[in-house]
Amino acid sequence: MKKIISLAVTVIMAMMMPLSCNVRQHGGASTEISEEQLKERAAELCKYIPDHELREGSHEYLTNDFYTVLDTIFNHLPEHEAMDHEWLYYFVTGNGGTIADYEVVGVEIIDDNHATATIKVRQKWEDGSFDETTDIEEHQLTMEQVDGKWLLADFDNHKADCIRHIAQNRDEQARRQAISDYLAKEIGQHYRHGKICIPTLMMVAEEGDSVWGDFWVDWYNIAGDTLKTVSGGNHSGLILLKKQGTDYCVTAFEQTVDGAGYLPSAKRIFGRHFDLYQQMHSNQKVREAVRREQLSEYVKRKGLAVRYYQDYGWPVVELDRF
């Protein structure tokens, strides 16, 4: 009977003790950290959840691998990529001008070095009032203990999303690079040469290794801080790609023909994508917007001291500043 009572007391006392886990410090000694302390740390880490940008000073609060993928997403991919993947820029607040208000409601200790915090988020305006039109959302913040410090290791499993998106982006960039190289070399050789040949790629549709596009090939000279157009023209059609390792090469290019045969050839080549092609091809504002964006990315990637481009007889156009 005494043994049963003693066991019961032990169980009750264990239930009353706060949750904790061991944290191994430098030198091998272990200390305990309570659930309440982890909640406080999670609240601190919430300040470094990305919102429209990778927050300044976040490197020391994130694990190295999580910081690396976020740095790649925010600082080393084309900015327009976020248009189709809003979660990349708007982890919590969305694109509505509100500020996220975080509340840590619980922490689950996984093991000595890993824990998950449940975060509730309300949206508030800059004056401090809460946005009553949006619901309170629940999120998961993953923490990892590294060298005695608890760091932000993931948020809503976005790390895997980022890694997958980076791989997709690099594959897409390899496809685009193969097309650009082909157009510059094989098509650009037929135009009067300038210093550099920079194609503009307007993708109409992609199915496997088939790419339908409205492609423009232009040669430029560099005069001071301006790209001056020397020559160029349009080459629309269907390009076939073949993957070689992590790269691609162009195996065929069927172009629309000039003159009276243009419309029949365009309808045949583009097929069910013809209407979309026509909308893109006939819209000069869209074409120039894409050209400006791609020239800006080219200038940034090559490190050129160029701020403008100019077609003969037209005003200069300012490039995006990164």
Side-chain angles (χ1 to χ4, degrees):
M1 185 66 177
K2 288 182 179 180
K3 184 180 291 188
I4 295 175
I5 293 174
S6 177
L7 179 61
V9 171
T10 301
V11 171
I12 292 171
M13 290 179 66
M15 293 175 63
M16 293 174 64
M17 292 177 64
L19 290 174
S20 64
C21 64
N22 293 326
V23 178
R24 186 165 298 280
Q25 305 286 354
H26 293 294
S30 294
T31 60
E32 289 189 344
I33 185 168
S34 68
E35 181 180 5
E36 191 61 35
Q37 288 173 313
L38 277 176
K39 287 177 67 174
E40 292 175 2
R41 180 58 172 173
E44 185 178 10
L45 294 176
C46 283
K47 301 174 185 177
Y48 299 95
I49 297 170
D51 182 28
H52 295 77
E53 62 183 359
L54 185 56
R55 297 186 188 276
E56 185 177 355
S58 61
H59 188 273
E60 62 180 293
Y61 292 91
L62 275 61
T63 59
N64 284 335
D65 54 347
F66 192 36
Y67 180 86
T68 298
V69 296
L70 292 179
D71 181 53
T72 301
I73 286 290
F74 285 101
N75 300 321
H76 300 287
L77 293 187
E79 188 171 345
H80 67 270
E81 284 295 312
M83 297 302 293
D84 295 327
H85 305 274
E86 285 196 353
W87 63 266
L88 293 176
Y89 274 10
Y90 317 134
F91 269 51
V92 177
T93 60
N95 192 21
T98 56
I99 302 169
D101 183 77
Y102 302 100
E103 178 188 3
V104 181
V105 296
V107 172
E108 179 186 0
I109 298 172
I110 308 302
D111 56 37
D112 286 356
N113 296 316
H114 300 87
T116 302
T118 300
I119 313 294
K120 286 194 174 180
V121 179
R122 293 181 66 185
Q123 303 300 329
K124 64 181 181 182
W125 302 105
E126 291 183 356
D127 63 4
S129 62
F130 286 99
D131 178 13
E132 301 300 333
T133 64
T134 58
D135 297 328
I136 299 175
E137 297 181 350
E138 190 170 285
H139 298 270
Q140 297 296 313
L141 183 151
T142 303
M143 293 182 287
E144 181 178 339
Q145 192 271 141
V146 180
D147 292 336
K149 292 183 179 180
W150 286 89
L151 304 176
L152 177 57
D154 202 352
F155 187 77
D156 285 345
N157 295 316
H158 279 333
K159 179 181 172 183
D161 294 333
C162 290
I163 292 172
R164 182 166 52 251
H165 180 75
I166 291 168
Q168 292 172 347
N169 177 269
R170 286 174 175 165
D171 186 73
E172 178 63 23
Q173 291 306 309
R175 292 163 65 90
R176 287 174 173 266
Q177 190 62 54
I179 294 172
S180 291
D181 290 346
Y182 174 86
L183 292 174
K185 180 180 178 181
E186 301 298 332
I187 306 299
Q189 66 175 318
H190 301 294
Y191 287 101
R192 183 160 62 93
H193 288 198
K195 184 175 180 61
I196 48 177
C197 184
I198 310 175
T200 299
L201 311 183
M202 297 181 63
M203 306 300 206
V204 176
E206 298 184 53
E207 296 178 6
D209 290 334
S210 299
V211 181
W212 290 265
D214 187 21
F215 307 116
W216 297 77
V217 180
D218 293 292
W219 279 96
Y220 301 90
N221 282 330
I222 300 178
D225 59 1
T226 305
L227 291 172
K228 300 270 191 177
T229 306
V230 174
S231 63
N234 175 248
H235 297 268
S236 300
L238 169 62
I239 282 180
L240 300 182
L241 296 170
K242 180 180 180 181
K243 193 165 189 177
Q244 297 179 325
T246 58
D247 296 322
Y248 288 87
C249 69
V250 175
T251 60
F253 181 27
E254 184 179 12
Q255 300 184 55
T256 57
V257 300
D258 295 330
Y262 164 73
L263 193 59
S265 67
K267 288 183 176 180
R268 175 179 56 79
I269 293 171
F270 284 90
R272 65 181 180 279
H273 307 302
F274 175 76
D275 289 342
L276 178 58
Y277 162 69
Q278 278 288 80
Q279 292 173 21
M280 295 173 66
H281 182 70
S282 61
N283 193 322
Q284 185 176 358
K285 288 185 177 180
V286 170
R287 182 167 68 249
E288 286 304 314
V290 173
R291 180 187 182 192
R292 178 174 177 265
E293 178 181 75
Q294 294 185 9
L295 283 176
S296 299
E297 291 174 357
Y298 180 93
V299 166
K300 177 187 176 183
R301 188 170 65 252
K302 297 295 185 179
L304 302 179
V306 169
R307 296 181 57 192
Y308 308 93
Y309 74 91
Q310 183 179 30
D311 292 332
Y312 182 77
W314 289 85
V316 296
V317 177
E318 186 173 6
L319 298 174
D320 294 327
R321 301 295 296 277
F322 295 102

